[in-house]
Amino acid sequence: MEWGGEYSLDSSNLDCLLNVLPGELEFQQILSDLDEKIKKNSSSIEQCLKDLQSEVNEICTDEILQSTTDCLQWLNKCNFSSLRPSSTQHGELMEFLRTLQSLLKNEQNQEEMILHFLLDLSSQCGVSFPCTPSGTSFELTSSLHAIEDDSTMDVKSLWDDVRLHLRRFLVNRLQSQEETSTNALQQQMKFKTQCIQQLLFLYPESEVLMKYQNMQNKLVSDLLQNCILSSCGETNFDKVVHGYESSIPTLCTMIKEDLYVLSGTIDPSSSLKFINETYLDTITEEMTVLLERLCELQFKENALHIVKANKISKKHRGTVHAVASKEYHKKGRNFCLTLYQLKCLSQLTKLFLLMEEKIEELSTEILLVPSFTEKNKNIQGVLKKASGELLIGETRANETSGLPEQLLQVEEPILLKFGWRDAFKDLSSSVAHCITIAIEDFSTKILQHEQKEEFSAAGYAMSLVNNEQMRESCGAVQQEEQPKRIAKFCSDIMEELDTLLPLALACRDDSLQEIRANFVEACSKVATAVLARLEEKSKDVPSKAPLQDMYAALSTAIYVFQHFTMYGNLMRETSKKPLFLVPVQQYQEFINVLQFQVTNHCVRVCATSILQDAESHHWDDYKAFYEGERCSFSVQMWHYFCCALHHDLWTILPPKTAQEILTDVLEQSLAMLSSRYCQACPSYRRTPQIRIDIAAILMSTADMLWSVCSSVQEFLNPHEDTDLKVYKIHSHCNSLLSVLAILTSPLKNLYKTFLNNCDEHLPQDFPQVFYHPLHWLFCIPSSCSSLLKTPSAREMAAQGQLKLLLSQPYCNLNLLLETLLHHDCLLVKILLRSSRNAVLNHDEQCSLLEQINNKQPTLIETIFTVLSYCTLSPKSLGIAFETYMEKEQLWNCLYNMTVSSCGESEPEVIRCLKLTLINSVKGIVKQIISLMHSWEATENYGTYQHKQIIPESLLKTVPKEWNYTPREMKRKESGKCFTRLAAQAVSIVISKLPTVIACLPPSIKYFFFLAERKMSRNFAELKKAGLLVWNLIVIICRIFEDGNTAELLTGATLDRWSKEKLSLVRLCLESIMGKQKSGPKQVTQKVIQSIEQQRPNWIESQLLKARKLSTDCASVTVESATLEEGGIALGFTEQKINMMVLDICHKPGGSEYLRQIYHIIQLNEEYLKEQLSCENSSEDGVTSSQCLPLTLKGREEQPVFNPFQVYRQSCAKVFNQSTITEWNWDWSNLLPSYLGLDQMTFRVLLAHRWEMKEGADLEDEEKVMVEHLKNVYLTQSTPTSEDKEE
């Protein structure tokens, strides 16, 4: 059928994938695009039916079709094999077949030409050549023309000889194909599909599939035998595993090929049946034979050991043992397997489990996709798929009598059936018996070895290993719950269990259930033994072992608990009841108890040892403590203890548990300190010590608070309901500050604040003044307040955000993203600016080149990718890179973006933008190339271009009745039709542009919206369609211009004809955009005019729609961002950040990009703090003198805690004692905040002042104020001893 009409100008495929969650405007565009495609497809189908109706009415004059409905009914009822045959002379047919036979026998390399010629006859003239089974009677029919059936053996033998020759040619081509690369694999699959379809043109489906199945069967058997039996010596378990490791990837590739090939030729159930019989059954048979051979060898080896043992033993015992061995052999031939052999079997099982999963994915991906499951059976002639590929139908003239019976049969659905587990049945009893022995054996040896090391070692410290290598097996566990260091003996045991786990996971059949039952039982025993060992270890603390052993025992118990939970979840598919219920419950109870013991022990150490300081806390002493120039020893030791605890928890325990323990210890120790200092009654000389101690405690707590809080909200707005422990910490600190204010403030300031010229009576109530929980943070001499904004602002400064991020025990992705987006991406701007100013030394240059060569993302690429993924913060990408683009003068690069230029000279930002746009138009490019291929195949522009021309002698023998027109002549006639092809290609590009823009990430659209603002007037006039639309069309043109790029992008192979036509399409697009340097060619004018004739002003309206979509989306982004900034909620909510992090982690490489940025921030912590502090003083900042490391270097092992180092690095910054003593307290602002203090608390603290004691040495003015305070607050209601205790 000729191309023509408006219905052919559009495509039915929607290639734009929704990689982002579209907004309302994008949804409207996508839905309207789908609606338009449906309308176009319906009109296309209608036009095709009308054309078919007119053609049938011309040929079949006895039956006139009145409407398209009649046409559909006629197609449904029509039996092509029963059509009235026309008279084709027997002599003409014999001459035609003899000419074909002569060409095939006497001329070389004529097979492909003859195949295309026969297909051409079938499609153009409606001739259906019979594809009867080999050896059956000859019969030719036709849908529109039929060949006279003389039923002579001469005609049958001639046709059989011709198609046999062609079959050999096609089979040889199939067997000679080899895979070389990914693109070659795609070409190979298309080639095999074509060969199979051509075979189906010659022979019936059953015969073709049988022949192809035999070929593939032989390939599978040869592959398995070559991989496993090629090495010298006898077969053993090791060789089997290595053989299947190398062969299974190849087998999966072969299965993928055949699923693709068969999906275009036969129905899905037949495809699955073919895969079952050809691959899965063959693999099972080979595996069964192989394992039987291994069983035989192992049984002989065991029997040999028995014979040797019999020679040593007594004769009668040997006889009895031999008889027993024979009986044992008859029962089931059980034999012993070593741990190494069990590991080999487990590895083999794992390979088959992965292969089973892979095959299921392939069958779902290929067979259940509609474009791959089109059924092409019982259709004559040549049909076109939507993608333009040729599908050859075949006639079943000889099977018509059996067709109704086949239709009446109801077959059960065929599913994939991989019976590899059946091959293990003979081994099941031996594996089940030996797996228990092996697990008990290696676990006992590991535990004994650990006990010997403990006794032989000088100390009792537990040997620990990092948990990095076990992350893969614990992939289901969140990072915040993963232990960092665990006991080595436990790691060794669990590693061995992980190796044997696949044996238990594969047990779905009843015959293999014993293996899983024994594995579960053995694991439960091991879990109990390990738990007992951990309990012993925890009891040795602190008498025999250091406190770190308790942390290690807790971390190890959590690790084992998570492992067995994972085992239970993996086996839940095959078992309805929980298999590890008892061990999991035991470990859960042990973890809860041990975590309580750790917290209780630390608090008890603080209470009984660290905070017991008689010399420092001798408050009645009339001598100053170190002349009032330092804090108490106990306070300093408490700070050291908290730092050491922080170090140990952060390096051993899971992050979440570590934070919980540190929070509990900090809160309970602060409660003790608050209670003790509330009861202190210092002398005049010891009052400054109270002030110094409390200030030191508060400053130390302020430093620890960053590690305790896991979010900005928890730090700035702790609630009593959700963040109780943090809220209590703030409450204790505010209590301590009230002690400092009431107990140590100057008497004159206290008097003015709390009496304020009152009369001699007690006020009924203090004014109710509310103060924020963070009130104490803004009242102490600490740098903490500079990292925070006012509590009412509910926002944190950039330095505080960075400190909170780096104080966490792990890479908190939510907090990381919030830090990157904070304060208009200030930290990102510093990273970009610093990477721009970095001057690399030789080693760093080599490392950077290695990173580029290994295709590892650089810092700029990583930041760009992460911010482009932030769909809920679309402005971030543009804001972060705006200054960088201006300083690097990169805006102009967006106006002349190319495709082929890449490498060292191309800026990284431009390369990232370009790749994003190329990926967005990849679907359009594939569709245009598919259109070219379908046009080429239908019109035969390229079919014979580089091959033989049909000989004149053959053309003369074609029966005249068939009305065959050679393609060479038709090609000349249809050359003028190329205008319609180009118009169709251009229409596809223009129609797809709005949908492509709708599916682009909002951050990319806003980036180009921002770039348009930077454009000069000349560029703005040139790009009326918009910068984004301009660049999309320019990239499509560059791809069409460079055929190599198009081939790499799509995996298709383009001949010279296709490249020429793509180049012409490029000229048309450039003409539309006004980008052609010279005047438009006549051909391009014709193409554009043909589109305008069918759709007036359609091109302009599509371009305006695309521009409006990009600008409207960007303007909506700006408006929403402006409203957000002017509203109540500043910054990003936790829910919004969490949604963005989940979205990023689900994108390719998202989580790895975030971690790479985090590690770079870690490596440059001090430098970034310095730059952030400079940003506060100057808006533009200062140029960085220190170069930023651009490569990720492996961090060294965490050093052992050193209190002297803590003093130098931490104490000097956290609480500098000279700063505390010299701090000028603003009492006039501090004391009024405590007017809302509880009256009883105020009285107790007031009574503890040294001035209130009997016999205090006071001046006359002080005596008057003291007497007034006593009369108002103390005399009228003297506190009792119980009140003092409270």
Side-chain angles (χ1 to χ4, degrees):
M1 189 183 299
E2 297 288 347
W3 294 81
E6 185 184 347
Y7 65 88
S8 62
L9 289 178
D10 240 319
S11 171
S12 60
N13 293 332
L14 183 64
D15 295 313
C16 296
L17 299 177
L18 301 180
N19 293 323
V20 297
L21 183 63
E24 185 177 354
L25 292 173
E26 290 90 339
F27 262 128
Q28 290 177 359
Q29 171 58 35
I30 293 167
L31 292 176
S32 65
D33 187 65
L34 286 172
D35 187 52
E36 186 179 355
K37 295 290 182 295
I38 294 172
K39 290 179 180 178
K40 294 295 178 184
N41 287 337
S42 62
S43 63
S44 175
I45 294 171
E46 187 75 19
Q47 184 64 38
C48 287
L49 288 174
K50 287 180 180 178
D51 293 345
L52 181 63
Q53 176 188 350
S54 61
E55 192 169 349
V56 171
N57 287 338
E58 289 178 5
I59 298 171
C60 303
T61 55
D62 57 339
E63 185 176 359
I64 304 299
L65 303 178
Q66 301 294 337
S67 63
T68 54
T69 305
D70 296 339
C71 188
L72 288 173
Q73 292 177 354
W74 178 82
L75 285 173
N76 188 36
K77 296 178 181 179
C78 183
N79 187 353
F80 293 105
S81 61
S82 61
L83 289 177
R84 177 179 58 83
S86 61
S87 57
T88 301
Q89 294 297 326
H90 175 65
E92 293 181 3
L93 184 59
M94 289 289 293
E95 185 182 1
F96 173 70
L97 293 176
R98 284 196 187 99
T99 307
L100 288 177
Q101 184 186 42
S102 175
L103 281 173
L104 289 172
K105 288 184 177 180
N106 301 326
E107 301 289 339
Q108 293 183 352
N109 303 324
Q110 298 294 313
E111 291 84 1
E112 189 171 359
M113 179 271 296
I114 290 177
L115 270 172
H116 283 288
F117 175 62
L118 293 175
L119 289 169
D120 203 8
L121 279 173
S122 177
S123 61
Q124 184 188 146
C125 306
V127 177
S128 293
F129 293 91
C131 55
T132 55
S134 303
T136 58
S137 61
F138 180 74
E139 187 175 2
L140 287 172
T141 59
S142 173
S143 57
L144 302 179
H145 299 283
I147 303 171
E148 183 181 354
D149 181 15
D150 290 13
S151 302
T152 61
M153 291 303 295
D154 292 336
V155 174
K156 176 187 179 304
S157 60
L158 282 174
W159 172 243
D160 282 347
D161 189 52
V162 169
R163 64 175 181 166
L164 179 62
H165 194 108
L166 294 175
R167 185 180 76 176
R168 289 171 182 168
F169 167 73
L170 291 172
V171 170
N172 289 335
R173 294 187 71 182
L174 281 172
Q175 291 175 340
S176 62
Q177 285 297 304
E178 294 181 359
E179 176 187 352
T180 55
S181 64
T182 305
N183 287 337
L185 175 61
Q186 295 178 1
Q187 297 302 318
Q188 180 179 342
M189 289 192 292
K190 291 181 180 179
F191 172 79
K192 291 179 72 173
T193 303
Q194 184 182 10
C195 289
I196 295 295
Q197 290 172 346
Q198 288 172 345
L199 282 170
L200 290 171
F201 175 75
L202 301 172
Y203 290 91
E205 178 184 302
S206 58
E207 191 169 342
V208 172
L209 290 181
M210 184 180 299
K211 180 67 177 176
Y212 185 60
Q213 184 172 339
N214 292 335
M215 287 171 47
Q216 297 300 93
N217 253 327
K218 188 175 184 305
L219 282 176
V220 173
S221 300
D222 292 344
L223 174 66
L224 293 175
Q225 291 175 6
N226 291 335
C227 289
I228 298 168
L229 305 178
S230 59
S231 55
C232 300
E234 294 182 347
T235 305
N236 55 32
F237 289 90
D238 209 5
K239 290 180 182 178
V240 172
V241 172
H242 290 305
Y244 276 96
E245 277 182 347
S246 60
S247 61
I248 282 180
T250 307
L251 289 170
C252 289
T253 304
M254 293 171 63
I255 291 174
K256 180 180 180 180
E257 282 184 25
D258 282 346
L259 281 172
Y260 179 88
V261 170
L262 297 174
S263 65
T265 54
I266 61 177
D267 60 276
S269 59
S270 299
S271 301
L272 293 178
K273 181 181 178 183
F274 179 89
I275 297 299
N276 284 337
E277 295 177 354
T278 308
Y279 290 96
L280 305 185
D281 292 349
T282 305
I283 294 171
T284 302
E285 292 172 5
E286 294 288 338
M287 188 65 197
T288 304
V289 173
L290 200 60
L291 286 181
E292 285 179 357
R293 191 181 308 163
L294 287 174
C295 292
E296 193 67 33
L297 291 173
Q298 189 65 28
F299 185 76
K300 289 180 179 178
E301 185 178 346
N302 288 354
L304 185 62
H305 288 299
I306 294 172
V307 170
K308 291 181 179 179
N310 290 340
K311 291 181 179 179
I312 299 173
S313 62
K314 292 182 181 181
K315 185 177 181 179
H316 67 280
R317 292 183 61 185
T319 305
V320 172
H321 195 77
V323 172
S325 298
K326 290 180 181 179
E327 292 297 324
Y328 195 60
H329 174 68
K330 290 178 182 179
K331 288 180 180 179
R333 294 196 309 169
N334 285 9
F335 46 82
C336 295
L337 293 169
T338 63
L339 177 61
Y340 180 76
Q341 290 172 337
L342 287 173
K343 287 182 180 180
C344 290
L345 288 174
S346 180
Q347 180 66 18
L348 193 62
T349 304
K350 183 178 180 181
L351 290 173
F352 280 115
L353 286 171
L354 293 175
M355 183 181 181
E356 194 173 50
E357 183 180 355
K358 179 67 175 176
I359 294 173
E360 289 178 359
E361 290 178 1
L362 289 173
S363 63
T364 304
E365 176 186 350
I366 296 175
L367 295 182
L368 298 186
V369 175
S371 59
F372 284 98
T373 56
E374 297 180 1
K375 298 182 181 180
N376 308 304
K377 297 171 61 176
N378 298 324
I379 297 178
Q380 294 179 334
V382 179
L383 300 180
K384 286 193 298 294
K385 295 173 65 177
S387 60
E389 297 175 2
L390 289 179
L391 298 180
I392 289 81
E394 63 276 2
T395 306
R396 293 291 179 267
N398 62 315
E399 298 177 5
T400 47
S401 58
L403 187 60
E405 296 178 4
Q406 294 175 2
L407 292 176
L408 292 175
Q409 293 177 358
V410 180
E411 297 181 358
E412 295 183 3
I414 298 176
L415 303 175
L416 286 172
K417 184 179 180 182
F418 196 4
W420 61 271
R421 291 175 177 83
D422 297 337
F424 286 83
K425 286 184 178 179
D426 290 342
L427 280 169
S428 60
S429 57
S430 299
V431 171
H433 174 70
C434 296
I435 197 170
T436 305
I437 300 173
I439 292 175
E440 293 178 356
D441 184 49
F442 70 69
S443 60
T444 304
K445 287 181 180 178
I446 292 173
L447 288 171
Q448 290 175 352
H449 179 70
E450 190 272 337
Q451 203 163 13
K452 287 180 182 178
E453 283 188 345
E454 178 185 339
F455 292 144
S456 61
Y460 284 86
M462 196 183 300
S463 178
L464 304 180
V465 293
N466 291 330
N467 190 26
E468 297 293 333
Q469 67 273 15
M470 304 304 291
R471 291 277 172 91
E472 183 180 355
S473 60
C474 297
V477 180
Q478 296 293 331
Q479 188 184 1
E480 62 180 7
E481 297 177 355
Q482 291 180 0
K484 293 184 177 179
R485 289 175 68 81
I486 58 175
K488 184 180 182 304
F489 75 90
C490 182
S491 175
D492 294 340
I493 291 175
M494 299 311 296
E495 188 176 354
E496 297 288 351
L497 291 179
D498 284 344
T499 308
L500 298 177
L501 177 64
L503 289 173
L505 295 180
C507 300
R508 294 180 182 175
D509 301 335
D510 294 336
S511 59
L512 305 178
Q513 292 296 324
E514 187 182 359
I515 298 176
R516 187 180 63 187
N518 289 3
F519 178 82
V520 172
E521 183 181 356
C523 286
S524 301
K525 291 181 180 178
V526 171
T528 304
V530 171
L531 182 61
R533 187 72 186 124
L534 293 176
E535 289 175 346
E536 292 176 10
K537 288 284 187 181
S538 62
K539 290 177 182 177
D540 289 340
V541 179
S543 58
K544 297 180 181 180
L547 183 59
Q548 286 82 357
D549 276 17
M550 190 176 287
Y551 308 146
L554 177 58
S555 181
T556 305
I558 293 173
Y559 175 79
V560 178
F561 167 77
Q562 293 173 350
H563 238 72
F564 283 114
T565 303
M566 179 191 68
Y567 284 0
N569 292 335
L570 291 175
M571 295 184 190
R572 188 172 295 173
E573 298 179 0
T574 56
S575 176
K576 296 181 180 179
K577 60 180 181 180
L579 299 176
F580 296 96
L581 182 61
V582 175
V584 166
Q585 289 180 347
Q586 289 176 344
Y587 273 87
Q588 185 65 66
E589 293 173 3
F590 177 71
I591 289 167
N592 295 335
V593 171
L594 194 56
Q595 184 171 344
F596 174 78
Q597 288 178 356
V598 169
T599 305
N600 189 44
H601 175 81
C602 294
V603 174
R604 193 168 62 249
V605 167
C606 291
T608 59
S609 301
I610 295 175
L611 298 180
Q612 293 298 327
D613 188 3
E615 181 181 359
S616 302
H617 294 170
H618 188 193
W619 305 120
D620 293 336
D621 195 351
Y622 287 94
K623 294 181 181 180
F625 181 73
Y626 283 83
E627 301 181 1
E629 294 181 355
R630 63 157 296 145
C631 66
S632 302
F633 295 131
S634 58
V635 173
Q636 194 167 358
M637 292 302 109
W638 171 77
H639 174 74
Y640 285 155
F641 178 78
C642 288
C643 290
L645 178 66
H646 175 276
H647 174 274
D648 291 339
L649 295 178
W650 258 232
T651 55
I652 296 176
L653 285 169
K656 186 177 179 180
T657 307
Q659 278 187 317
E660 289 175 357
I661 293 175
L662 183 63
T663 305
D664 288 341
V665 173
L666 185 62
E667 187 271 321
Q668 294 183 39
S669 60
L670 281 174
M672 284 189 299
L673 288 168
S674 175
S675 175
R676 291 190 181 187
Y677 281 92
C678 282
Q679 299 176 21
C681 300
S683 63
Y684 170 70
R685 296 287 184 183
R686 289 295 180 118
T687 297
Q689 185 190 348
I690 292 280
R691 186 186 304 148
I692 295 173
D693 281 3
I694 293 178
I697 292 169
L698 295 179
M699 292 174 70
S700 178
T701 304
D703 186 64
M704 301 295 293
L705 196 62
W706 299 97
S707 301
V708 165
C709 299
S710 58
S711 67
V712 176
Q713 186 68 21
E714 187 179 4
F715 193 103
L716 296 178
N717 269 322
H719 291 285
E720 190 172 0
D721 297 332
T722 56
D723 311 307
L724 180 60
K725 295 295 176 63
V726 177
Y727 188 86
K728 285 184 176 180
I729 289 174
H730 287 295
S731 178
H732 298 322
C733 290
N734 281 310
S735 298
L736 285 168
L737 186 61
S738 65
V739 173
L740 182 147
I742 306 301
L743 205 58
T744 69
S745 61
L747 182 62
K748 188 174 182 180
N749 296 88
L750 184 71
Y751 181 79
K752 287 182 178 180
T753 302
F754 284 89
L755 281 184
N756 197 18
N757 299 321
C758 288
D759 296 331
E760 295 293 329
H761 63 273
L762 180 66
Q764 293 299 322
D765 289 303
F766 283 128
Q768 295 297 321
V769 179
F770 173 78
Y771 57 88
H772 195 270
L774 268 68
H775 167 72
W776 63 276
L777 274 174
F778 295 90
C779 298
I780 59 174
S782 169
S783 60
C784 185
S785 57
S786 65
L787 305 179
L788 302 171
K789 296 185 178 180
T790 58
S792 60
R794 291 184 291 174
E795 192 175 358
M796 189 175 285
Q799 299 98 311
Q801 195 89 32
L802 178 64
K803 183 174 177 63
L804 183 63
L805 170 67
L806 296 178
S807 298
Q808 302 303 303
Y810 71 111
C811 176
N812 189 328
L813 298 182
N814 287 21
L815 199 53
L816 171 62
L817 184 61
E818 188 175 358
T819 305
L820 294 176
L821 300 179
H822 188 268
H823 200 65
D824 288 338
C825 304
L826 178 58
L827 187 63
V828 175
K829 292 178 182 177
I830 295 175
L831 289 171
L832 293 174
R833 182 182 67 208
S834 304
S835 63
R836 172 178 174 267
N837 295 330
V839 180
L840 304 179
N841 57 36
H842 178 71
D843 294 338
E844 289 172 333
Q845 285 179 351
C846 295
S847 180
L848 181 59
L849 288 175
E850 182 181 353
Q851 186 178 2
I852 294 174
N853 293 333
N854 293 336
K855 296 183 180 180
Q856 296 178 359
T858 60
L859 175 61
I860 294 177
E861 292 178 31
T862 303
I863 292 174
F864 181 92
T865 306
V866 168
L867 294 182
S868 66
Y869 287 163
C870 295
T871 54
L872 298 180
S873 178
K875 289 183 64 178
S876 300
L877 180 67
I879 291 173
F881 279 90
E882 183 176 7
T883 307
Y884 177 82
M885 295 284 287
E886 288 174 355
K887 289 184 177 180
E888 292 289 326
Q889 299 179 354
L890 297 178
W891 290 118
N892 291 337
C893 296
L894 294 178
Y895 313 138
N896 296 293
M897 193 178 292
T898 59
V899 175
S900 58
S901 62
C902 60
E904 301 175 0
S905 61
E906 187 178 29
E908 295 175 72
V909 183
I910 303 301
R911 182 167 68 248
C912 294
L913 281 169
K914 184 183 69 179
L915 289 175
T916 303
L917 298 185
I918 287 175
N919 288 330
S920 67
V921 300
K922 188 185 293 185
I924 295 180
V925 175
K926 286 184 176 179
Q927 192 171 334
I928 298 300
I929 291 176
S930 178
L931 174 67
M932 292 293 171
H933 285 165
S934 63
W935 184 281
E936 179 182 6
T938 306
E939 300 298 327
N940 265 351
Y941 276 97
T943 303
Y944 306 114
Q945 208 164 29
H946 306 292
K947 302 180 180 71
Q948 305 95 325
I949 303 298
I950 303 176
E952 192 67 28
S953 59
L954 179 60
L955 290 175
K956 290 180 179 179
T957 60
V958 177
K960 295 179 181 179
E961 179 181 288
W962 294 355
N963 296 325
Y964 175 68
T965 303
R967 283 294 178 182
E968 286 77 10
M969 296 176 59
K970 191 169 184 179
R971 196 180 317 138
K972 296 176 183 178
E973 295 174 2
S974 58
K976 57 185 179 181
C977 298
F978 176 73
T979 302
R980 275 177 285 178
L981 169 65
Q984 185 179 3
V986 172
S987 299
I988 289 174
V989 174
I990 300 300
S991 64
K992 288 283 186 180
L993 281 175
T995 307
V996 168
I997 290 177
C999 294
L1000 277 173
S1003 52
I1004 300 295
K1005 284 183 274 192
Y1006 179 78
F1007 192 93
F1008 279 94
F1009 176 78
L1010 190 64
E1012 283 193 38
R1013 295 180 176 180
K1014 310 289 182 181
M1015 290 169 59
S1016 64
R1017 291 185 177 180
N1018 295 332
F1019 282 124
E1021 289 295 326
L1022 185 63
K1023 301 171 179 59
K1024 291 182 180 179
L1027 185 60
L1028 180 56
V1029 179
W1030 168 271
N1031 274 291
L1032 286 172
I1033 294 181
V1034 165
I1035 284 178
I1036 292 173
C1037 291
R1038 294 293 176 267
I1039 293 173
F1040 289 165
E1041 183 180 14
D1042 185 3
N1044 295 331
T1045 304
E1047 289 180 343
L1048 288 173
L1049 192 64
T1050 61
T1053 302
L1054 301 177
D1055 56 14
R1056 188 177 64 185
W1057 184 89
S1058 299
K1059 291 180 181 179
E1060 290 175 357
K1061 303 316 173 188
L1062 286 176
S1063 180
L1064 186 55
V1065 174
R1066 171 183 63 83
L1067 293 176
C1068 295
L1069 292 173
E1070 289 179 349
S1071 178
I1072 289 173
M1073 298 304 295
K1075 195 176 180 295
Q1076 279 187 326
K1077 296 180 181 178
S1078 59
K1081 295 182 179 180
Q1082 186 177 3
V1083 180
T1084 60
Q1085 287 181 339
K1086 287 183 178 180
V1087 171
I1088 297 173
Q1089 286 174 2
S1090 67
I1091 299 175
E1092 288 294 334
Q1093 288 175 0
Q1094 292 185 6
R1095 301 179 179 184
N1097 299 324
W1098 176 76
I1099 296 177
E1100 185 178 355
S1101 65
Q1102 284 293 108
L1103 294 177
L1104 289 175
K1105 184 194 294 184
R1107 174 170 175 76
K1108 185 175 184 298
L1109 194 64
S1110 62
T1111 54
D1112 287 354
C1113 292
S1115 59
V1116 167
T1117 299
V1118 175
E1119 290 174 6
S1120 62
T1122 306
L1123 289 174
E1124 186 178 330
E1125 290 175 0
I1128 299 175
L1130 292 172
F1132 299 97
T1133 62
E1134 288 187 18
Q1135 183 180 7
K1136 193 173 181 180
I1137 290 291
N1138 189 48
M1139 289 175 63
M1140 282 194 287
V1141 169
L1142 288 175
D1143 190 29
I1144 291 171
C1145 291
H1146 281 89
K1147 298 290 178 60
S1151 58
E1152 292 303 320
Y1153 292 152
L1154 285 173
R1155 289 190 175 89
Q1156 182 178 349
I1157 297 173
Y1158 176 78
H1159 287 306
I1160 291 177
I1161 292 174
Q1162 271 187 320
L1163 293 172
N1164 302 274
E1165 178 180 358
E1166 297 301 325
Y1167 167 75
L1168 293 174
K1169 287 179 180 177
E1170 177 188 348
Q1171 294 294 310
L1172 287 173
S1173 62
C1174 293
E1175 291 288 340
N1176 291 335
S1177 57
S1178 173
E1179 185 66 23
D1180 296 331
V1182 294
T1183 56
S1184 56
S1185 57
Q1186 177 188 353
C1187 61
L1188 184 68
L1190 297 178
T1191 55
L1192 294 178
K1193 299 179 181 178
R1195 303 201 69 178
E1196 296 180 359
E1197 188 69 23
Q1198 193 78 15
V1200 179
F1201 178 75
N1202 185 351
F1204 299 104
Q1205 187 178 3
V1206 171
Y1207 176 78
R1208 289 192 300 269
Q1209 295 180 353
S1210 180
C1211 294
K1213 298 177 182 178
V1214 174
F1215 53 97
N1216 190 331
Q1217 304 201 32
S1218 62
T1219 303
I1220 297 174
T1221 54
E1222 298 171 3
W1223 178 260
N1224 186 18
W1225 293 87
D1226 188 2
W1227 301 110
S1228 59
N1229 288 328
L1230 178 62
L1231 286 171
S1233 61
Y1234 289 98
L1235 289 174
L1237 194 65
D1238 179 68
Q1239 290 187 14
M1240 186 62 66
T1241 304
F1242 176 77
R1243 290 181 188 139
V1244 171
L1245 293 176
L1246 182 64
H1248 289 174
R1249 288 182 66 95
W1250 68 273
E1251 295 95 341
M1252 301 298 170
K1253 295 181 181 178
E1254 295 294 334
D1257 187 11
L1258 302 172
E1259 296 180 359
D1260 292 340
E1261 185 181 359
E1262 293 176 339
K1263 288 180 180 179
V1264 173
M1265 289 188 288
V1266 167
E1267 195 64 29
H1268 195 184
L1269 286 169
K1270 284 183 177 181
N1271 290 335
V1272 174
Y1273 293 105
L1274 301 181
T1275 306
Q1276 295 184 9
S1277 179
T1278 305
T1280 62
S1281 59
E1282 294 180 359
D1283 295 334
K1284 290 183 180 182
E1285 289 178 2
E1286 292 179 4

